mmCIF file of all heavy atoms in Angstrom:
data_model
loop_
_atom_site.group_PDB
_atom_site.id
_atom_site.type_symbol
_atom_site.label_atom_id
_atom_site.label_comp_id
_atom_site.label_asym_id
_atom_site.label_seq_id
_atom_site.Cartn_x
_atom_site.Cartn_y
_atom_site.Cartn_z
ATOM 1 N N PRO H 35 22.987 -2.977 3.120
ATOM 2 C CA PRO H 35 24.241 -3.366 2.393
ATOM 3 C C PRO H 35 25.452 -2.664 2.985
ATOM 4 O O PRO H 35 26.535 -3.244 2.980
ATOM 5 C CB PRO H 35 23.926 -2.938 0.935
ATOM 6 C CG PRO H 35 22.464 -2.974 0.799
ATOM 7 C CD PRO H 35 21.947 -2.530 2.215
ATOM 8 N N ARG H 36 25.360 -1.412 3.437
ATOM 9 C CA ARG H 36 26.542 -0.701 3.959
ATOM 10 C C ARG H 36 26.984 -1.347 5.280
ATOM 11 O O ARG H 36 28.203 -1.409 5.533
ATOM 12 C CB ARG H 36 26.209 0.756 4.048
ATOM 13 C CG ARG H 36 26.082 1.446 2.649
ATOM 14 C CD ARG H 36 25.742 2.884 2.764
ATOM 15 N NE ARG H 36 24.481 3.091 3.475
ATOM 16 C CZ ARG H 36 24.137 4.177 4.116
ATOM 17 N NH1 ARG H 36 24.970 5.147 4.379
ATOM 18 N NH2 ARG H 36 23.022 4.259 4.795
ATOM 19 N N LEU H 37 26.058 -1.710 6.173
ATOM 20 C CA LEU H 37 26.299 -2.346 7.411
ATOM 21 C C LEU H 37 27.025 -3.632 7.115
ATOM 22 O O LEU H 37 28.044 -4.036 7.727
ATOM 23 C CB LEU H 37 25.074 -2.586 8.227
ATOM 24 C CG LEU H 37 25.195 -3.398 9.421
ATOM 25 C CD1 LEU H 37 26.191 -2.887 10.395
ATOM 26 C CD2 LEU H 37 23.820 -3.642 10.099
ATOM 27 N N GLU H 38 26.459 -4.455 6.177
ATOM 28 C CA GLU H 38 26.978 -5.728 5.819
ATOM 29 C C GLU H 38 28.464 -5.572 5.274
ATOM 30 O O GLU H 38 29.291 -6.447 5.702
ATOM 31 C CB GLU H 38 26.123 -6.461 4.811
ATOM 32 C CG GLU H 38 24.798 -6.900 5.426
ATOM 33 C CD GLU H 38 23.749 -7.328 4.380
ATOM 34 O OE1 GLU H 38 24.026 -7.275 3.194
ATOM 35 O OE2 GLU H 38 22.610 -7.646 4.782
ATOM 36 N N ALA H 39 28.682 -4.629 4.512
ATOM 37 C CA ALA H 39 30.045 -4.385 3.996
ATOM 38 C C ALA H 39 30.980 -4.084 5.191
ATOM 39 O O ALA H 39 32.127 -4.528 5.213
ATOM 40 C CB ALA H 39 30.091 -3.262 2.998
ATOM 41 N N TRP H 40 30.613 -3.254 6.107
ATOM 42 C CA TRP H 40 31.368 -2.962 7.265
ATOM 43 C C TRP H 40 31.666 -4.161 8.114
ATOM 44 O O TRP H 40 32.794 -4.330 8.557
ATOM 45 C CB TRP H 40 30.687 -1.861 8.062
ATOM 46 C CG TRP H 40 31.330 -1.429 9.323
ATOM 47 C CD1 TRP H 40 32.409 -0.461 9.410
ATOM 48 C CD2 TRP H 40 31.182 -1.840 10.683
ATOM 49 N NE1 TRP H 40 32.759 -0.355 10.686
ATOM 50 C CE2 TRP H 40 32.048 -1.127 11.514
ATOM 51 C CE3 TRP H 40 30.240 -2.693 11.224
ATOM 52 C CZ2 TRP H 40 32.098 -1.402 12.810
ATOM 53 C CZ3 TRP H 40 30.304 -2.960 12.529
ATOM 54 C CH2 TRP H 40 31.183 -2.308 13.342
ATOM 55 N N GLN H 41 30.650 -5.035 8.251
ATOM 56 C CA GLN H 41 30.861 -6.301 9.050
ATOM 57 C C GLN H 41 31.870 -7.181 8.392
ATOM 58 O O GLN H 41 32.518 -7.938 9.102
ATOM 59 C CB GLN H 41 29.497 -6.979 9.195
ATOM 60 C CG GLN H 41 28.491 -6.260 10.073
ATOM 61 C CD GLN H 41 27.085 -6.823 10.106
ATOM 62 O OE1 GLN H 41 26.628 -7.254 9.092
ATOM 63 N NE2 GLN H 41 26.531 -6.794 11.242
ATOM 64 N N ARG H 42 31.963 -7.079 7.030
ATOM 65 C CA ARG H 42 32.947 -7.928 6.315
ATOM 66 C C ARG H 42 34.326 -7.281 6.365
ATOM 67 O O ARG H 42 35.292 -7.829 5.865
ATOM 68 C CB ARG H 42 32.561 -8.047 4.844
ATOM 69 C CG ARG H 42 31.401 -8.885 4.564
ATOM 70 C CD ARG H 42 31.174 -9.189 3.140
ATOM 71 N NE ARG H 42 31.030 -7.968 2.276
ATOM 72 C CZ ARG H 42 29.917 -7.428 1.970
ATOM 73 N NH1 ARG H 42 28.753 -7.898 2.461
ATOM 74 N NH2 ARG H 42 29.816 -6.386 1.223
ATOM 75 N N GLY H 43 34.428 -6.161 7.061
ATOM 76 C CA GLY H 43 35.760 -5.478 7.171
ATOM 77 C C GLY H 43 36.029 -4.331 6.159
ATOM 78 O O GLY H 43 37.072 -3.817 6.144
ATOM 79 N N GLU H 44 35.033 -4.104 5.236
ATOM 80 C CA GLU H 44 35.277 -3.023 4.299
ATOM 81 C C GLU H 44 35.157 -1.725 5.001
ATOM 82 O O GLU H 44 34.283 -1.568 5.874
ATOM 83 C CB GLU H 44 34.227 -3.226 3.146
ATOM 84 C CG GLU H 44 34.378 -4.421 2.348
ATOM 85 C CD GLU H 44 33.257 -4.643 1.302
ATOM 86 O OE1 GLU H 44 32.715 -3.579 0.889
ATOM 87 O OE2 GLU H 44 32.951 -5.752 0.966
ATOM 88 N N ARG H 45 35.921 -0.817 4.589
ATOM 89 C CA ARG H 45 35.874 0.562 5.217
ATOM 90 C C ARG H 45 35.746 1.541 4.094
ATOM 91 O O ARG H 45 36.199 1.346 2.925
ATOM 92 C CB ARG H 45 37.132 0.817 6.011
ATOM 93 C CG ARG H 45 37.270 -0.045 7.201
ATOM 94 C CD ARG H 45 36.094 0.147 8.256
ATOM 95 N NE ARG H 45 36.161 -0.718 9.388
ATOM 96 C CZ ARG H 45 35.424 -1.905 9.532
ATOM 97 N NH1 ARG H 45 34.631 -2.265 8.597
ATOM 98 N NH2 ARG H 45 35.442 -2.590 10.627
ATOM 99 N N ILE H 46 35.087 2.700 4.528
ATOM 100 C CA ILE H 46 34.867 3.788 3.505
ATOM 101 C C ILE H 46 36.165 4.549 3.352
ATOM 102 O O ILE H 46 36.878 4.876 4.196
ATOM 103 C CB ILE H 46 33.824 4.699 4.120
ATOM 104 C CG1 ILE H 46 32.452 3.938 4.194
ATOM 105 C CG2 ILE H 46 33.625 5.957 3.183
ATOM 106 C CD1 ILE H 46 31.339 4.662 5.043
#
Side-chain angles (χ1 to χ4, degrees):
R36 293 178 299 149
L37 168 63
E38 292 168 358
W40 180 83
Q41 289 170 324
R42 289 189 303 270
E44 296 175 26
R45 295 299 179 259
I46 297 168

